[in-house]
Amino acid sequence: MMKVKKIISFNFKFFVSLIVTFFLLSNFTSENSRTVASTSVEKIYPRNYFRSPLNIPLYLSGTFAEMRPNHLHSGIDIRTNSVEGLPVFAVADGYVSRVRIQAVGFGNSIYVTHPNGFVSVYAHLQKYNPAIAKFAKNLQYENQSFELDTLLGASIIPVKMGDIIAYSGNSGGSGGPHLHFEIRDEKTEETINPLLFGFEVADKVAPIIQAIHVYPLNENSAINQQKQKIRFATAGNKNNYTINNNQIIEAWGNIGIGIESIDYQSNSSNQNGVYSIELKRNGERIYFSKMERFSFKDTKGINSHCDYKERNNTGRWVQKSFVDAGNPLTIYRDLQDRGRIALEPGDIYNMEYIVTDAEGNVTNLKFTINCAANNPYNFNFSSNKPALDLFPFDIQNTLERTNVKFIFKPNTFFDTTFVNYENSKAPFSAFSTIHTIGNKNIALNDFFDIAIKPEKPMTDFQKSKAIIFQTYRGAIGGFYDNGVVKGRSKIIGGFYIVADSIAPSIKPVNIANGIHLKGSSIICRISDNLSGIKSYNAYIDDQWVLMNYDQKSATLKYYLDEKCPKGKHVFRIVVIDQKDNKNQYFATFYK
């Protein structure tokens, strides 16, 4: 056990409470830990069953399970040479089992179910083939909705391998023209790494290891005489790395390690994610993760898998090689003490990272961690600690203060967490003070509930328009109920009450009263200042017409079709926000 040479005077009650807190933490992180997947069974996937979805060489701008904000990337992104409209082919026989149209997310997408138990997914499409397009448009008019999500039986739209089912595009939440492609398990609905199915991607480039991060995991631990994480940059070439300048890593106590690593494919400048990461201690594996498959319900586990604070503050993606007790991901195997390392005085630890990509290219990093023979650090405990609430990750937690209540259901946090609360002044237009819980560096796995009591009088009209506003995210919605405004958030922070009584904005782009339209479409831009758009509907001569919505440009576009023959017409658009504020625009035009 560590001996502390000198401890400054402190309050005895505080010391007792601190010891109890450490005891609770150790119990929560050991006895109450989730079971982490540790199977050694390797699944075998057919490598000659599917053809390529495109008739061009496959270069990737995104790999499977790459780390993205709040989610793991669920497929591969295939570059389309910055153009739209490339034919997209069914990768095998099957049938169209789902057609989905979204303003965000996948945009225009198609799901094809195959006889071998897998489903292929094609997203961010520009348009469907004529048969699927007609089917989708008929449903959109039937439902009077641009957005569509419909399931189909096997007899409605069968396809053969090589059939053109769509054309590549940039719809939905896409950041540029490409094809997002997935393969899913039909039974479990897990998404699987498509590169395990034999698709040919030119890749002879081994992953690059940029740095490692070494973390003290409790208050009695330190790295190079600091009680905080230290980043060590790497040096090397091709597939062998060391710590830059042969820096010595000296540590004490319990530590964890994280790694910055990226991958490239041949003839591509895109930075991609790696496939597997292995960490060995003195030749023995203590951590292994592999991006083979995952469940969508677990995708927010990325916020536990990565160093969430580092990502927020520097933009760096660091993959931790130690697993939080509440991390739901099943990508881990062969963990020893969940990847945590308990250093023994005087011992020397020969560490090795082995990083691979999906094509089997391998990179390694070797480094040494020294543990002192005796505790070299003077740990001083201060009685001036802020008031913190201890939230175990696996039970419901409630924090209630004057005029506010927060409720976190079990497994909202990824690990047992200390959370603070503060109250501060809000803008003049607010109806409450700002209630701040925790900070932006605390990652969450789910939504939590908020109830705030107004501190200024509200009229019945203002109550009907009440929402909750987050200090660094904006409006999160909400409603007035029995004396409080209730809402939900997936990001921790500061919250207060405002009222949204302002109608959405409608800005015509190429339509005006009395205009003779020469183009093939009517275009408007819509926006809302607070609660967000709930619905938009357009009419030609009081008959509903389909307007395609691109949220990236906030643009609605109606393509002039059989619903609008030549002659004089009246165009009307109605936009309603989440608090039922409504705006309309009218124009008479000639076609």
Side-chain angles (χ1 to χ4, degrees):
M1 179 179 296
M2 179 191 70
K3 295 181 180 180
V4 179
K5 292 184 178 180
K6 181 180 180 183
I7 302 178
I8 63 173
S9 62
F10 53 84
N11 182 280
F12 179 74
K13 290 183 178 180
F14 172 76
F15 178 74
V16 173
S17 66
L18 189 64
I19 295 300
V20 171
T21 298
F22 286 149
F23 174 75
L24 287 172
L25 276 172
S26 64
N27 280 346
F28 283 125
T29 56
S30 58
E31 295 177 5
N32 296 326
S33 300
R34 287 189 187 180
T35 300
V36 179
S38 183
T39 176
S40 60
V41 177
E42 298 287 343
K43 295 181 174 61
I44 299 175
Y45 302 99
R47 296 186 63 85
N48 297 305
Y49 189 89
F50 298 113
R51 60 150 287 164
S52 173
L54 296 172
N55 271 350
I56 59 173
L58 299 187
Y59 295 104
L60 305 184
S61 58
T63 49
F64 180 80
E66 271 186 350
M67 295 179 290
R68 304 283 177 89
N70 289 315
H71 70 284
L72 291 167
H73 188 228
S74 57
I76 57 174
D77 288 340
I78 304 172
R79 292 167 54 184
T80 57
N81 302 320
S82 301
V83 301
E84 299 184 39
L86 298 183
V88 176
F89 302 93
V91 295
D93 293 356
Y95 66 95
V96 176
S97 54
R98 186 180 186 185
V99 177
R100 192 176 189 187
I101 298 174
Q102 302 168 277
V104 294
F106 278 179
N108 302 323
S109 60
I110 292 177
Y111 298 63
V112 176
T113 296
H114 306 284
N116 64 345
F118 295 102
V119 178
S120 55
V121 182
Y122 317 76
H124 305 307
L125 303 169
Q126 180 193 64
K127 60 183 180 180
Y128 303 128
N129 73 19
I132 299 173
K134 182 179 180 180
F135 172 85
K137 187 175 180 180
N138 287 341
L139 278 180
Q140 287 173 307
Y141 270 94
E142 181 181 324
N143 299 325
Q144 292 194 358
S145 171
F146 164 69
E147 297 215 342
L148 176 69
D149 190 1
T150 186
L151 302 179
L152 291 74
S155 63
I156 299 177
I157 307 179
V159 297
K160 292 290 186 181
M161 177 189 288
D163 285 352
I164 297 176
I165 57 175
Y167 297 87
S168 67
N170 187 32
S171 60
S174 171
H178 72 281
L179 176 66
H180 176 93
F181 176 73
E182 298 180 12
I183 294 182
R184 300 185 185 181
D185 186 310
E186 182 183 6
K187 291 183 178 180
T188 68
E189 297 186 356
E190 291 176 303
T191 184
I192 308 167
N193 194 330
L195 298 186
L196 300 177
F197 291 83
F199 294 101
E200 293 186 6
V201 175
D203 185 3
K204 295 184 179 180
V205 182
I208 294 172
I209 299 176
Q210 300 159 308
I212 63 168
H213 296 237
V214 186
Y215 302 76
L217 296 183
N218 58 36
E219 196 160 341
N220 293 334
S221 302
I223 314 298
N224 286 5
Q225 302 187 38
Q226 297 185 45
K227 294 190 206 177
Q228 62 185 17
K229 174 193 71 175
I230 296 181
R231 178 179 187 266
F232 297 90
T234 61
N237 52 51
K238 292 189 177 179
N239 57 355
N240 292 294
Y241 288 82
T242 60
I243 300 299
N244 193 29
N245 296 323
N246 294 314
Q247 287 178 276
I248 296 174
I249 303 175
E250 293 183 341
W252 179 268
N254 296 325
I255 67 169
I257 307 175
I259 185 170
E260 293 177 49
S261 184
I262 58 174
D263 189 37
Y264 293 92
Q265 278 83 42
S266 299
N267 305 313
S268 175
S269 60
N270 289 95
Q271 293 184 1
N272 299 134
V274 301
Y275 178 63
S276 70
I277 296 175
E278 179 180 12
L279 179 61
K280 290 184 176 181
R281 176 186 59 198
N282 297 330
E284 183 179 11
R285 177 189 284 181
I286 63 170
Y287 170 92
F288 184 72
S289 64
K290 183 171 67 171
M291 300 307 189
E292 176 186 344
R293 58 197 290 157
F294 65 86
S295 173
F296 285 94
K297 67 180 176 59
D298 298 332
T299 189
K300 288 195 71 174
I302 179 61
N303 293 332
S304 172
H305 179 71
C306 77
D307 183 336
Y308 189 73
K309 180 178 180 180
E310 182 75 22
R311 176 62 183 170
N312 280 344
N313 291 280
T314 69
R316 296 188 183 111
W317 285 111
V318 181
Q319 299 192 57
K320 298 186 309 189
S321 301
F322 54 99
V323 182
D324 293 332
N327 185 332
L329 292 172
T330 57
I331 62 175
Y332 307 107
R333 280 178 31 199
D334 301 337
L335 301 180
Q336 291 192 22
D337 195 22
R338 291 187 284 114
R340 287 158 164 75
I341 303 171
L343 301 176
E344 295 291 335
D347 280 359
I348 298 175
Y349 299 85
N350 296 311
M351 309 298 299
E352 181 180 14
Y353 266 115
I354 302 171
V355 182
T356 68
D357 61 25
E359 291 298 313
N361 301 300
V362 181
T363 293
N364 70 65
L365 163 68
K366 295 182 178 180
F367 58 101
T368 301
I369 296 176
N370 297 329
C371 183
N374 297 291
N375 174 26
Y377 313 120
N378 183 20
F379 296 103
N380 296 325
F381 297 98
S382 170
S383 60
N384 298 318
K385 295 281 185 180
L388 299 173
D389 285 86
L390 181 66
F391 284 0
F393 76 93
D394 56 350
I395 65 172
Q396 178 168 299
N397 294 282
T398 301
L399 186 147
E400 191 166 4
R401 297 291 187 268
T402 303
N403 298 323
V404 69
K405 186 176 184 179
F406 300 94
I407 300 176
F408 301 85
K409 64 184 181 182
N411 300 311
T412 299
F413 295 94
F414 290 109
D415 211 337
T416 297
T417 304
F418 285 108
V419 177
N420 66 305
Y421 167 81
E422 295 179 355
N423 182 272
S424 58
K425 186 177 180 180
F428 177 78
S429 60
F431 291 91
S432 73
T433 53
I434 300 175
H435 300 278
T436 300
I437 183 170
N439 60 72
K440 67 178 183 179
N441 294 322
I442 297 176
L444 298 182
N445 189 38
D446 206 344
F447 286 87
F448 62 96
D449 295 314
I450 308 165
I452 304 176
K453 184 178 180 180
E455 297 167 48
K456 290 165 56 175
M458 299 185 75
T459 66
D460 288 342
F461 175 76
Q462 290 169 333
K463 291 175 182 177
S464 71
K465 304 298 181 182
I467 58 174
I468 295 176
F469 193 90
Q470 189 180 41
T471 49
Y472 51 83
R473 183 174 177 84
I476 63 168
F479 59 94
Y480 186 91
D481 178 43
N482 197 28
V484 297
V485 179
K486 298 179 178 179
R488 306 182 76 209
S489 177
K490 59 183 178 181
I491 297 179
I492 217 160
F495 304 90
Y496 59 94
I497 299 172
V498 296
D500 180 9
S501 59
I502 300 175
S505 168
I506 302 173
K507 295 182 179 180
V509 174
N510 68 339
I511 182 76
N513 198 42
I515 195 171
H516 287 261
L517 278 178
K518 296 181 180 180
S520 60
S521 62
I522 295 175
I523 304 172
C524 296
R525 288 196 174 94
I526 62 174
S527 62
D528 187 70
N529 70 320
L530 271 179
S531 59
I533 302 294
K534 180 170 74 173
S535 67
Y536 43 87
N537 288 283
Y539 305 86
I540 300 292
D541 304 327
D542 289 329
Q543 298 297 311
W544 189 89
V545 293
L546 174 63
M547 295 202 81
N548 295 276
Y549 185 34
D550 178 15
Q551 194 176 59
K552 293 193 295 291
S553 60
T555 299
L556 285 170
K557 182 181 292 188
Y558 164 59
Y559 294 98
L560 302 177
D561 56 13
E562 68 279 1
K563 308 287 184 181
C564 183
K566 289 185 178 181
K568 180 180 178 181
H569 301 283
V570 176
F571 171 74
R572 177 167 64 99
I573 183 171
V574 181
V575 183
I576 301 174
D577 70 14
Q578 298 291 341
K579 301 309 293 184
D580 294 323
N581 301 300
K582 182 171 72 173
N583 194 7
Q584 298 187 74
Y585 173 80
F586 295 86
T588 298
F589 70 96
Y590 298 86
K591 178 183 176 184

